[in-house]
Amino acid sequence: MTPSTHLYGQLFDLLRQHSRVCDLRHLKTLAWMVSALLYSGELNLAAWEPYVMSRATKAQSTERRWQRFMDNCRISVMAIYGPLVLAALSGWKQQRLYLALDTTVL
């Protein structure tokens, strides 16, 4: 098992535990995207391809899959991230928290 697949498995289990998403394919895609982001250290979708196990034979196929995921109006970011963020923040009640907001999409 490569390190990226091990991280993917851990992320998927964590997301599934804290999410109410009905379609597990969305969680699988998100887990692959997050693990590839962490391993590549880049926001470039093309840089993620070596870190993802897929049947796709071309990098463009994987990139299109991620683009469809991000453009899918049926995927609620709050349904996926909300419970996960709340679980992470619950342990930091008495500590200072620094928050960085990305306003490029606003």
Side-chain angles (χ1 to χ4, degrees), residues 7-53:
L7 178 60
Y8 159 78
Q10 290 178 333
L11 287 169
F12 179 73
D13 290 341
L14 183 68
L15 289 169
R16 186 173 53 184
Q17 183 180 23
H18 293 287
S19 179
R20 295 183 190 93
V21 175
C22 296
D23 194 343
L24 290 180
R25 294 174 298 176
H26 296 162
L27 290 181
K28 289 179 181 181
T29 301
L30 179 62
W32 274 122
M33 290 173 73
V34 171
S35 66
L37 170 67
L38 292 173
Y39 270 103
S40 70
E42 297 184 35
L43 291 174
N44 183 359
L45 297 180
W48 298 354
E49 195 267 330
Y51 303 100
V52 175
M53 300 295 291

Side-chain angles (χ1 to χ4, degrees), residues 20-97:
R20 295 183 190 93
V21 175
C22 296
D23 194 343
L24 290 180
R25 294 174 298 176
H26 296 162
L27 290 181
K28 289 179 181 181
T29 301
L30 179 62
W32 274 122
M33 290 173 73
V34 171
S35 66
L37 170 67
L38 292 173
Y39 270 103
S40 70
E42 297 184 35
L43 291 174
N44 183 359
L45 297 180
W48 298 354
E49 195 267 330
Y51 303 100
V52 175
M53 300 295 291
S54 174
R55 293 182 309 222
T57 57
K58 297 181 181 177
Q60 294 87 353
S61 299
T62 306
E63 289 178 42
R64 279 194 304 268
R65 175 181 167 195
W66 292 325
Q67 196 62 50
R68 283 192 309 269
F69 176 81
M70 291 186 283
D71 293 339
N72 190 341
C73 63
R74 293 178 297 168
I75 296 173
S76 169
V77 173
M78 283 311 296
I80 294 173
Y81 285 119
L84 189 60
V85 169
L86 291 175
L89 292 177
S90 68
W92 296 346
K93 291 180 182 176
Q94 299 301 320
Q95 296 178 349
R96 181 176 293 180
L97 176 68

